[in-house]
Amino acid sequence: MFMRIDHVGIACHDLEEKIAFFERTFELTVVAREVNEEQGVKEAMLRIADGEGGGSYIQLLEPLGPDTPVGRFLAKRGEGVHHVAFGVPDVEAALGEIGGRGVRLLDEKPRHGSMGSSIAFLHPKDVGGMLTELVQAPPRRL
Ligand code: CMX
Ligand code: CO
């Protein structure tokens, strides 16, 4: 079901400062920046590798406000790894299969994610404490 790790999401207070740190320390490059109102974040994707089914990235996340998933996480736990996202061929099909195995779905239907992807989240309490995201990459442009 999982083809690859698409990204690791990292919660931070100051997106620009963290981008600068990752660029200068790990020589990574920002390939996309977005504000996603629905998810309550301002974010940047830094590419680690390219692959047939999609790339792999670090996703840096700054909350748009305190009353958002990342805002609450920062207040409770401070900066750090917020979620792990796995690439799947079909996020809707994966949700049906995983939901049928008793894991609570935070999204019944896929939502809009970074760089045109479709995403959905699984409850961390049902996945060993790890907030888990499923990502379906957009169709490749020829
Ligand atoms: N990883 C692991 N556990 C987490 C967590 C995380 N990122 N966020 C919250 N939890 C835990 C909390 O510690 C808490 O556990 P305890 O009851 O033992 O303290 C429990 O889950 C409930 O958390 P909460 O503080 O009540 O927080 P929320 O109301 O924000 O609900 C969650 C948590 C996961 C349901 C919510 O954050 C959510 O729906 N997330 C999915 C959407 C999202 O995270 N979007 C931002 C990223 C967007 C992107 O990647 O593009
Ligand atoms: Co993510």
Side-chain angles (χ1 to χ4, degrees):
M1 178 180 294
F2 293 167
M3 303 185 295
R4 64 203 161 79
I5 292 178
D6 183 282
H7 64 267
V8 174
I10 298 174
C12 63
H13 290 291
D14 184 335
L15 184 64
E16 297 310 320
E17 184 197 280
K18 278 296 176 295
I19 288 172
F21 171 81
F22 273 79
E23 285 181 334
R24 87 173 167 263
T25 310
F26 302 124
E27 300 173 8
L28 297 174
T29 305
V30 173
V31 291
R33 285 170 185 262
E34 276 175 52
V35 171
N36 188 330
E37 300 274 352
E38 190 180 38
Q39 297 293 338
V41 294
K42 185 162 95 173
E43 56 150 283
M45 298 295 269
L46 292 86
R47 183 187 280 124
I48 294 177
D50 278 319
E52 271 294 300
S56 65
Y57 309 88
I58 292 285
Q59 181 183 41
L60 299 177
L61 301 158
E62 181 188 311
L64 292 178
D67 195 19
T68 59
V70 176
R72 284 189 289 273
F73 179 91
L74 280 173
K76 249 186 165 171
R77 302 193 183 194
E79 294 187 318
V81 174
H82 179 257
H83 64 271
V84 176
F86 296 96
V88 295
D90 180 336
V91 69
E92 207 152 5
L95 280 176
E97 287 165 30
I98 295 166
R101 293 171 192 154
V103 171
R104 275 171 289 168
L105 310 177
L106 294 170
D107 301 297
E108 293 291 335
K109 290 243 166 258
R111 295 176 189 275
H112 155 75
S114 314
M115 302 185 293
S117 62
S118 296
I119 63 170
F121 287 87
L122 311 177
H123 203 293
K125 293 285 178 194
D126 294 347
V127 192
M130 176 176 76
L131 177 58
T132 303
E133 178 181 351
L134 309 178
V135 181
Q136 180 182 338
R140 279 167 94 84
R141 282 195 216 108
L142 297 173

